[in-house]
Amino acid sequence: MNQPSSMQVLPVRRGSVLKRMRLWFDASESVPSQACDPQRIDWLRALPFIAMHLACLGVFWVGVSPIAVATAISLYAIRMFALTGFYHRYFSHRAFRTSRMVQFAFALIGAACVQRGPLWWAAHHRNHHRHADTSLDPHSPTVYGFLWSHAGWFLTPAAFHTDLDRVKDFRGYAELRWLDRYDIAVPVLLAVLLYGLGALLQAFAPSWGTTGAQMLVWGFFISTVVLFHATVTINSLAHRFGRQRFATNDNSRNNLWLAVLTFGEGWHNNHHFYPGSARQGFRWWELDLTWYGLRLLAALGLVWDLKPVPAWVERRAMR
Ligand SMILES: [Zn+2]
Ligand SMILES: [Zn+2]
């Protein structure tokens, strides 16, 4: 893979545009952070991200149909669960165990979220917990402001690199390394499948009023952009708005609205206090859809050893 170790200091790559565009398709050549200006956005590399937002405007041309909206909502739900249950609670925090097959299946669905590969995501997230709300936390809203914590930090050359030393427990899986290196592959495949499905519906069920372009805009672009902004509210808003039940060394908050939007991740102060638990809504009324989903997968025998919230945690809640 020729991925440089995190200890090397490399010069900033400024090669030809074509050479730099190669990084869209092969993320393994991203350089580690020390050599890069941590506040400089790589606009060329960010173009697909910007284009994804602009493509949502296509809705004015393609129109809408019930099947297109249902597809967008379903793909939001399935992919949000893959992000919260697996990219976050499994790959980042090892809050339960599973088989290599199920690990790969959810890594694949996670990769369809266009939030890069599981190793990249987990490595950055572990870094966040280690340095939460200090200058070493790349997306702290209290240090760097709302906009940067929401949608700036991951567009820098520094942040494109995956620090494999942070994910030593998973870096040995070739299939995960592949998803990380070619992180554009699964999103492109999903987009093509959606277009094909829409074209088939147009040909064989024209009364449904959908087309390939409509399924692409709703099922891929709109669903993915909403999914993205919902996910990153946990970086930008859940470290700012809400209540603190536990005295943590950071600004994390519990927020019901964010918990609804992100299937349970809004109980972020709970999570920062005890990140090892598979459950983030610590009390019965703290809605945590991901936890219920994981319980279902456990009942089906697909995951096991879900780590509970220990009794001593409740005793540490602030009165
Ligand atoms: Zn946090
Ligand atoms: Zn976490």
Side-chain angles (χ1 to χ4, degrees), residues 89-133:
R89 301 185 198 191
Y90 177 73
F91 287 114
S92 305
H93 294 296
R94 309 202 60 153
F96 57 88
R97 295 173 61 208
T98 188
S99 65
R100 190 167 180 173
M101 264 319 281
V102 173
Q103 172 183 292
F104 176 65
F106 280 95
L108 200 64
I109 302 171
C113 300
V114 203
Q115 295 186 20
R116 303 192 188 136
L119 301 179
W120 179 89
W121 210 103
H124 279 81
H125 189 70
R126 287 176 180 184
N127 212 28
H128 165 62
H129 276 270
R130 205 180 163 105
H131 303 293
D133 290 323

Side-chain angles (χ1 to χ4, degrees), residues 125 128-129 132 139 234-235 239 252 268 272:
H125 189 70
H128 165 62
H129 276 270
H139 51 70
I234 301 304
N235 300 339
H239 275 255
S252 57
H268 203 53
H272 268 272

Side-chain angles (χ1 to χ4, degrees), residues 3-8 32-34 91-92 119-120 122-124 126-127 130 161-172 177 180:
Q3 208 143 19
S5 105
S6 60
M7 299 308 289
Q8 275 177 284
S33 59
Q34 291 93 329
F91 287 114
S92 305
L119 301 179
W120 179 89
H124 279 81
R126 287 176 180 184
N127 212 28
R130 205 180 163 105
H161 173 65
T162 301
D163 182 359
L164 290 174
D165 289 342
R166 278 263 181 276
V167 281
K168 285 184 179 147
D169 42 347
F170 287 112
R171 70 181 181 188
R177 291 281 285 263
D180 232 60

Side-chain angles (χ1 to χ4, degrees), residues 30-207:
S30 306
V31 299
S33 59
Q34 291 93 329
C36 313
D37 175 357
Q39 300 288 306
R40 182 177 71 84
I41 287 181
D42 182 344
W43 290 107
L44 183 71
R45 186 94 187 255
L47 269 184
F49 174 75
I50 297 164
M52 206 166 67
H53 283 71
L54 293 176
C56 295
L57 296 173
V59 74
F60 294 112
W61 284 273
V62 301
V64 64
S65 67
I67 185 88
V69 175
T71 304
I73 293 171
S74 307
L75 279 170
Y76 175 92
I78 295 164
R79 292 184 296 169
M80 181 59 91
F81 178 72
L83 280 177
T84 60
F86 284 79
Y87 265 37
H88 188 205
R89 301 185 198 191
Y90 177 73
F91 287 114
S92 305
H93 294 296
R94 309 202 60 153
F96 57 88
R97 295 173 61 208
T98 188
S99 65
R100 190 167 180 173
M101 264 319 281
V102 173
Q103 172 183 292
F104 176 65
F106 280 95
L108 200 64
I109 302 171
C113 300
V114 203
Q115 295 186 20
R116 303 192 188 136
L119 301 179
W120 179 89
W121 210 103
H124 279 81
H125 189 70
R126 287 176 180 184
N127 212 28
H128 165 62
H129 276 270
R130 205 180 163 105
H131 303 293
D133 290 323
T134 70
S135 60
L136 293 174
D137 174 1
H139 51 70
S140 166
T142 49
V143 179
Y144 297 109
F146 169 79
L147 204 58
W148 191 259
S149 68
H150 191 81
W153 68 274
F154 61 88
L155 297 172
T156 63
F160 277 104
H161 173 65
T162 301
D163 182 359
L164 290 174
D165 289 342
R166 278 263 181 276
V167 281
K168 285 184 179 147
D169 42 347
F170 287 112
R171 70 181 181 188
Y173 292 101
E175 66 275 25
L176 300 181
R177 291 281 285 263
W178 192 92
L179 286 176
D180 232 60
R181 180 173 184 177
Y182 302 107
D183 56 20
I184 199 171
V186 182
V188 166
L189 181 68
L190 175 64
V192 170
L193 285 175
L194 282 164
Y195 187 91
L197 178 65
L200 281 176
L201 287 173
Q202 186 182 12
F204 296 105
S207 61

Side-chain angles (χ1 to χ4, degrees), residues 165-275:
D165 289 342
R166 278 263 181 276
V167 281
K168 285 184 179 147
D169 42 347
F170 287 112
R171 70 181 181 188
Y173 292 101
E175 66 275 25
L176 300 181
R177 291 281 285 263
W178 192 92
L179 286 176
D180 232 60
R181 180 173 184 177
Y182 302 107
D183 56 20
I184 199 171
V186 182
V188 166
L189 181 68
L190 175 64
V192 170
L193 285 175
L194 282 164
Y195 187 91
L197 178 65
L200 281 176
L201 287 173
Q202 186 182 12
F204 296 105
S207 61
W208 289 20
T210 190
T211 63
Q214 191 191 73
M215 286 292 271
L216 184 66
V217 168
W218 280 95
F220 186 74
F221 292 118
I222 294 178
S223 179
T224 303
V225 166
V226 175
L227 177 71
F228 164 78
H229 287 286
T231 306
V232 294
T233 59
I234 301 304
N235 300 339
S236 59
L237 301 181
H239 275 255
R240 232 182 189 154
F241 302 105
R243 288 162 169 249
Q244 288 191 300
R245 173 179 295 147
F246 298 101
T248 52
N249 292 326
D250 53 59
N251 209 28
S252 57
R253 308 290 168 128
N254 283 344
N255 185 309
L256 169 68
W257 301 111
L258 297 180
V260 171
L261 197 65
T262 60
F263 294 5
E265 305 282 298
W267 308 113
H268 203 53
N269 178 247
N270 289 355
H271 175 60
H272 268 272
F273 183 72
Y274 192 75

